[in-house]
């Protein structure tokens, strides 16, 4: 028999190493996540597509997928040779990276090279879209921005700004806008010709792309070179055209923000004036119904008028009156922008007079209480500039009750607000009645508190304001009682030269009062000032003047240090000679109080002049006067001119305040000095000598003395 023929239904035996294909349907993300580790391209593509659809539905699905650890296998699939797998994996990552936890997991991996590989020109448009979307997501985190600051990373993003696909344009513009927050990336984008590419996007069909381009331009133009390149590329003209177009009103604020940066350069301001852009800005301020547009335009004007060369062009348009009208609007942002611009203009004498005449002083005083710090700062600066040498403005704001709001601002947490408020008080202190108001409102303790601030500008202006008030006796008294003297002496050692000079000047003014001069001496002002005067590095004319002022009003210290008194140095009761002091740095001159507390020793006695009449009204000085007259008659003419000082008595008991002061009531000074052993003969001699002062010539005085 021959071999049997194979039947029609006989099956071919499959190879032994082949797995029979199966069809799997899964409804759980965990199962699909496991498929990402498969080696079969079809399974990988289908698994990625299923995960993409699942993740796109909601954030909860994204969180579930992240818990399953899909980020790492997806990142590996971005380098897969199969286009479909690569495309689907990029789609999943583009959706997942919108979640911050996904970006956090990604940072633990070497992610940037794999994502940048999606941005090559040869890739599919879908891959470019989701690759640029991934870049826009990771650029939201600071650490990722730092890693993106390389030419290899930024170059494809700048190139994609010219992509025909609007999604790619949008994602690339957003990524660049986020990266440009970091200053280090701005030169790179500029060198990659990013500014012309961003300007071209202003003609894009979709407003979201235009806004993202403007955001990127606003950040890159914070660099000087970028502002100049904007001018060369015609960027300013394009921005002005958009602001003039009412149909693009949603872009006006963003355009004005870019203009604000550009107008910091004089060349850009000149181009604005020559192209008619100033009229556009004024139109935006006066005619726009949007407060945000008014605010942005006012800030742009404030930037432009900082240059004195271009200021006259703005003054021709009466910009002062235009800006003053904005202060009355009930919008803090507009008020802050207008006040900033007005504060700049008050720095110019021509505009200052116009603003002083047209401004509503009551409104300015009211705005000092604004809840917006920028408004308070700018308004205080306006008042500081207007009150400088202008008594009429000082009178007007004083009538509006400006003193209390200014004193309240001295406790503000913002240094610029405090500095400006103190400057206004300094200018107002030229008026005597206003100094009284300031003192009643608690200005002196508040200003003394500023002397402890860390901000040198605050300290310096606080010292100047305090110095302006110190012309009043009550202020000097309060200064001594509130610790102001000690604080000023400490400021002489400040590392800031302007603070040191201001403190020295304040001591010069305060030293005009004898009691205050003694207080400064007690706290070591003489020693510090002499050290400053002898220093080669910190020597200052202010310190030398302050030292001389203290010595002139503290004659015991002057006599001890110099050994001589000038003809204009008139000693009074309480003067004492404690011996020579070669240097204040090596030896401190003690006041009479401190000397009185020392025990008796073998050193030379301290000579004290005290010729006050005893407090006892029953004291009869006739016998003393008679003895003194006999002594003068029997002595030589030379001895008749000088009364003999008594021998020094034992050290007196400690006293509280024995330093003479011109402004202290005589009975108080009499009572203080009477506690020191007095010389009744010297008092009689002094009283008799006073009668000679009314005689005009020396001859008449000698004749009267001889009689």
């Amino acid at each position: 028999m021959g071999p049997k023929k194979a039947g029609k239904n006989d099956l071919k035996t499959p190879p032994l190493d082949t797995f029979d294909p199966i069809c799997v349907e899964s409804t759980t993300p965990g199962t699909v996540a496991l498929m990402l580790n498969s080696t079969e391209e079809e399974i990988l593509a289908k698994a990625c597509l299923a995960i993409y659809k699942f993740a796109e539905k909601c954030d909860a699905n994204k969180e579930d997928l992240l818990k399953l650890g899909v980020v790492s296998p997806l990142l590996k699939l971005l380098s897969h040779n199969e286009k479909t797998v690569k495309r689907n994996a990029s789609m999943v990552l583009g959706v997942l990276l919108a979640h911050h936890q996904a970006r956090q997991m990604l940072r633990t991996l070497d992610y940037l090279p794999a994502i940048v590989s999606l941005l090559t020109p040869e890739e599919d448009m879908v891959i470019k879209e989701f690759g640029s979307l991934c870049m826009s997501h990771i650029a939201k985190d600071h650490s990722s921005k730092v890693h993106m600051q390389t030419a290899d990373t930024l170059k494809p993003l700048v190139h994609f700004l010219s992509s025909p696909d609007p999604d790619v344009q949008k994602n690339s513009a957003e990524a660049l806008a986020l990266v440009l927050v970091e200053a280090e990336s701005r030169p790179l984008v500029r060198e990659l010709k990013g500014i012309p590419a961003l300007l071209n996007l202003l003609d894009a069909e979709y407003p979201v792309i235009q806004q993202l381009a403007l955001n990127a331009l606003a950040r890159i133009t914070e660099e000087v070179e970028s502002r100049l390149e904007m001018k060369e590329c015609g960027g300013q003209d394009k921005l002005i055209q958009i602001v003039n177009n009412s149909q693009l009103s949603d872009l006006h604020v963003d355009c004005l923000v870019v203009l604000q940066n550009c107008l910091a350069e004089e060349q850009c301001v000149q181009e604005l004036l020559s192209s008619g852009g100033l009229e556009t800005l004024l139109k935006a301020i006066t005619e726009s119904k949007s407060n945000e547009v008014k605010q942005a335009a006012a800030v742009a004007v404030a930037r432009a008028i900082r240059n004195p060369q271009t200021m006259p062009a703005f003054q021709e348009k009466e910009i002062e009156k235009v800006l003053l009208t904005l202060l009355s609007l009930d919008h803090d942002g507009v008020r802050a922008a207008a006040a900033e611009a007005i504060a700049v203009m008050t720095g110019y004498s021509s505009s200052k007079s116009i603003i002083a005449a047209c401004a509503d002083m009551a409104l300015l005083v009211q705005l000092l209480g604004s809840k917006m710090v920028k408004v308070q700062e700018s308004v205080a600066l306006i008042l500081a500039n207007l009150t400088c040498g202008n008594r009429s403005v000082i009178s007007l704001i004083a009538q509006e009750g400006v003193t209390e709001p200014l004193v309240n601002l001295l406790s503000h947490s913002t240094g610029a607000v405090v500095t400006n408020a103190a400057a206004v008080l300094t200018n107002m202190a030229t008026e005597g009645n206003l100094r009284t108001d300031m003192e009643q409102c608690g200005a002196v303790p508040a200003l003394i508190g500023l002397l402890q601030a860390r901000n040198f500008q605050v300290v310096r202006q606080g010292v100047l304001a305090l110095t302006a008030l110190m012309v009043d006796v009550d202020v000097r008294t309060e200064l001594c009682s509130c610790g102001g003297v000690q604080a000023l002496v400490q400021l002489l050692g400040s590392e800031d030269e302007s603070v040191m000079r201001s403190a020295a000047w304040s001591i010069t003014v305060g030293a005009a009062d004898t009691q205050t001069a003694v207080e400064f001496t007690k706290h070591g002002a003489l020693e510090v000032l002499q050290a400053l005067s002898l220093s080669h590095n910190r020597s200052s004319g202010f310190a030398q003047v302050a030292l001389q002022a203290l010595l002139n009003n503290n004659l015991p210290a002057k006599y001890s240090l110099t050994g001589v008194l000038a003809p204009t140095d008139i000693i009074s009761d309480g003067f004492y000679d404690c011996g020579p002091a070669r240097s204040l740095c090596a030896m401190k001159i003690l006041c009479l109080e401190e000397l009185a507390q020392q025990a008796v020793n073998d050193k030379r006695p301290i000579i004290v002049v005290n010729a006050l009449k005893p407090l006892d009204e029953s004291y009869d000085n006739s016998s003393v006067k008679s003895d003194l007259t006999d002594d003068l008659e029997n002595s030589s003419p030379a001895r008749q001119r000088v009364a003999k000082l008594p021998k020094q008595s034992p050290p007196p008991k400690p006293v509280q305040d024995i330093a003479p002061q011109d402004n202290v009531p005589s009975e108080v000074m009499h009572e203080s000095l009477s506690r020191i052993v007095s010389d009744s003969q010297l008092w009689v001699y002094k009283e008799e000598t006073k009668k000679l002062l009314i005689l005009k010539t020396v001859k008449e005085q000698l004749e009267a003395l001889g009689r």
Side-chain angles (χ1 to χ4, degrees):
M1 295 179 59
K4 187 178 179 182
K5 296 181 180 180
K8 187 176 182 180
N9 296 326
D10 291 343
L11 298 174
K12 186 178 181 180
T13 304
L16 297 177
D17 59 348
T18 302
F19 189 82
D20 293 338
I22 59 174
C23 182
V24 178
E25 291 185 4
S26 176
T27 58
T28 59
T31 303
V32 181
L34 292 174
M35 296 180 182
L36 296 177
N37 297 314
S38 174
T39 58
E40 297 186 46
E41 298 173 354
E42 185 178 0
I43 292 177
L44 291 173
K46 290 182 178 180
C48 289
L49 186 60
I51 292 176
Y52 168 75
K53 294 178 180 179
F54 180 73
E56 199 176 25
K57 293 179 180 179
C58 61
D59 287 342
N61 292 351
K62 296 184 182 69
E63 294 175 0
D64 291 339
L65 291 170
L66 294 175
K67 293 177 182 178
L68 295 172
V70 299
V71 174
S72 180
L74 285 172
L75 188 63
K76 295 178 181 178
L77 293 179
L78 295 182
S79 304
H80 203 280
N81 295 327
E82 173 59 35
K83 291 289 186 181
T84 305
V85 175
K86 189 174 186 178
R87 180 192 64 195
N88 293 352
S90 66
M91 292 168 59
V92 179
L93 269 181
V95 174
L96 283 179
L97 290 177
H99 200 286
H100 67 92
Q101 291 182 2
R103 298 194 297 272
Q104 186 176 357
M105 292 180 181
L106 194 68
R107 287 197 294 271
T108 62
L109 307 171
D110 187 17
Y111 64 93
L112 198 55
I115 296 178
V116 172
S117 66
L118 303 176
L119 306 180
T120 57
E122 299 80 14
E123 293 292 350
D124 182 78
M125 190 61 71
V126 176
I127 294 179
K128 294 178 182 178
E129 174 187 345
F130 284 94
S132 59
L133 180 62
C134 290
M135 295 293 285
S136 67
H137 286 321
I138 64 176
K140 296 176 182 177
D141 301 324
H142 173 71
S143 59
S144 298
K145 292 176 187 175
V146 174
H147 291 102
M148 294 173 65
Q149 293 173 11
T150 62
D152 293 337
T153 303
L154 297 177
K155 185 175 181 179
L157 291 175
V158 173
H159 176 73
F160 282 175
L161 294 177
S162 305
S163 173
D165 188 285
D167 290 322
V168 176
Q169 289 182 343
K170 180 259 182 188
N171 296 336
S172 301
E174 184 176 6
L176 286 173
L178 293 171
V179 172
L180 287 170
V181 172
E182 304 297 327
E184 293 79 4
S185 62
R186 294 165 191 164
L188 288 174
V189 175
R190 175 170 49 81
E191 292 170 2
L192 293 170
K193 306 300 180 183
I195 293 178
L198 289 169
L199 288 174
N200 290 334
L201 290 184
L202 298 182
D203 298 324
E205 181 181 358
Y206 298 97
V208 63
I209 298 177
Q210 294 173 309
Q211 289 177 342
L212 289 171
L214 288 170
N215 290 341
L217 287 171
R219 288 163 184 168
I220 198 173
T221 51
E222 292 180 11
E223 185 190 44
V224 176
E225 291 79 4
S226 298
R227 294 196 285 265
L228 297 177
E229 186 170 340
M230 273 281 293
K231 171 183 170 295
E232 297 298 329
C233 296
Q236 281 189 209
D237 293 336
K238 184 167 284 191
L239 295 173
I240 292 297
Q241 291 173 7
I242 295 176
V243 176
N244 277 325
N245 190 342
S246 58
Q247 295 181 353
L248 299 176
S249 58
D250 54 337
L251 301 177
H252 288 179
V253 173
D254 297 311
C255 286
L256 290 170
V257 170
V258 182
L259 271 177
Q260 293 170 12
N261 294 339
C262 294
L263 294 179
E265 303 300 321
E266 181 182 356
Q267 300 177 23
C268 297
V269 178
Q270 294 289 358
E271 182 180 349
L272 179 79
L273 299 176
S274 61
S275 63
L278 176 56
E279 287 74 12
T280 301
L281 289 179
L282 296 179
K283 183 179 178 181
I285 293 175
T286 58
E287 298 182 10
S288 177
K289 296 180 180 180
S290 170
N291 288 327
E292 288 73 19
V293 172
K294 291 179 181 290
Q295 177 183 349
V299 173
V301 170
R303 297 281 179 87
I305 61 179
R306 293 182 185 275
N307 193 320
Q309 304 298 327
T310 57
M311 183 61 190
F314 288 87
Q315 292 175 331
E316 292 177 0
K317 302 293 183 180
E318 297 185 337
I319 191 66
E320 299 92 346
K321 297 179 180 179
V322 174
L323 293 172
L324 285 171
T325 58
L326 296 182
L327 293 178
S328 59
L329 296 181
D330 189 15
H331 189 276
D332 287 338
V334 175
R335 284 175 170 174
E340 179 185 2
I342 295 171
V344 174
M345 301 195 76
T346 53
Y348 301 99
S349 57
S350 54
S351 295
K352 179 179 175 180
S353 58
I354 297 174
I355 295 172
C358 301
D360 185 352
M361 297 300 171
L363 178 59
L364 290 176
V365 173
Q366 178 185 348
L367 291 178
L368 288 175
S370 173
K371 296 181 180 180
M372 194 170 187
V373 176
K374 194 63 180 178
V375 174
Q376 293 176 311
E377 176 186 344
S378 298
V379 171
L381 181 56
I382 292 171
L383 293 177
N385 291 336
L386 292 180
T387 54
C388 183
N390 194 326
R391 300 184 64 180
S392 61
V393 174
I394 294 175
S395 177
L396 288 174
I397 63 174
Q399 293 174 8
E400 301 297 336
V402 74
T403 304
E404 186 173 355
L406 288 173
V407 174
N408 293 337
L409 289 180
L410 294 179
S411 59
H412 202 282
S413 59
T414 304
V417 176
V418 177
T419 302
N420 295 340
V424 183
L425 291 173
T426 305
N427 297 336
M428 294 175 60
T430 56
E431 304 297 325
N433 59 329
L434 298 184
R435 291 196 296 271
T436 303
D437 293 341
M438 294 179 204
E439 185 181 0
Q440 293 175 351
C441 291
V444 176
L447 290 171
I448 292 175
L450 299 184
L451 306 186
Q452 308 296 331
R454 296 182 179 180
N455 188 326
F456 289 139
Q457 287 286 68
V458 172
V459 175
R460 176 180 173 276
Q461 195 58 60
V463 172
L464 293 178
L466 197 59
T467 305
L469 292 173
M470 282 169 60
V471 296
D472 286 351
V473 177
D474 294 338
V475 174
R476 295 195 294 270
T477 303
E478 192 171 1
L479 179 76
C480 297
S481 62
C482 294
V485 169
Q486 185 176 1
L488 286 172
V489 173
Q490 290 176 349
L491 291 180
L492 291 175
S494 173
E495 60 186 25
D496 186 83
E497 290 294 323
S498 63
V499 171
M500 182 271 290
R501 291 194 297 266
S502 300
W505 176 245
S506 183
I507 291 175
T508 302
V509 175
D513 183 289
T514 304
Q515 183 182 18
T516 309
V518 171
E519 288 295 322
F520 280 123
T521 303
K522 285 181 181 179
H523 290 88
L526 280 176
E527 292 83 354
V528 178
L529 288 171
Q530 188 181 44
L532 287 174
S533 300
L534 298 176
S535 173
H536 295 290
N537 298 327
R538 304 199 64 197
S539 179
S540 169
F542 285 89
Q544 295 173 0
V545 172
L547 176 63
Q548 191 61 42
L550 278 181
L551 292 176
N552 289 340
N553 288 279
N554 191 346
L555 296 182
K558 182 176 183 179
Y559 187 68
S560 177
L561 182 64
T562 64
V564 65
L565 295 179
T568 56
D569 295 330
I570 309 301
I571 65 173
S572 58
D573 299 309
F575 176 84
Y576 61 95
D577 178 10
C578 60
R582 296 181 179 180
S583 172
L584 291 174
C585 301
M587 172 184 175
K588 179 180 179 181
I589 297 178
L590 302 179
C591 64
L592 201 53
E593 268 186 26
E594 297 167 327
L595 291 170
Q597 294 175 0
Q598 293 183 343
V600 178
N601 51 41
D602 57 351
K603 296 182 179 181
R604 293 179 58 186
I606 307 301
I607 301 175
V608 183
V609 176
N610 182 14
L612 283 179
K613 180 180 179 181
L615 289 176
D616 188 3
E617 296 182 357
S618 63
Y619 171 75
D620 182 12
N621 64 351
S622 58
S623 60
V624 176
K625 181 176 180 180
S626 175
D627 294 341
L628 178 63
T629 303
D630 295 341
D631 182 62
L632 289 174
E633 290 177 352
N634 296 328
S635 62
S636 64
R639 289 180 53 83
Q640 292 179 11
R641 297 193 185 102
V642 182
K644 193 174 183 180
L645 289 176
K647 295 183 179 180
Q648 185 179 8
S649 302
K653 297 181 180 180
V655 294
Q656 294 294 326
D657 185 9
I658 56 177
Q661 181 184 5
D662 297 337
N663 300 296
V664 176
S666 59
E667 61 272 12
V668 176
M669 183 59 64
H670 191 167
E671 181 181 0
S672 176
L673 285 173
S674 65
R675 282 176 278 180
I676 301 177
V677 177
S678 61
D679 183 356
S680 56
Q681 291 185 356
L682 182 60
W683 174 76
V684 173
Y685 177 78
K686 183 181 70 172
E687 293 299 317
E688 291 296 320
T689 306
K690 285 182 180 179
K691 299 177 183 179
L692 303 180
L693 297 179
I694 61 176
L695 302 178
K696 298 181 179 180
T697 65
V698 176
K699 181 179 179 181
E700 292 176 348
Q701 293 177 359
L702 292 175
E703 291 176 351
L705 187 62
R707 290 195 296 270

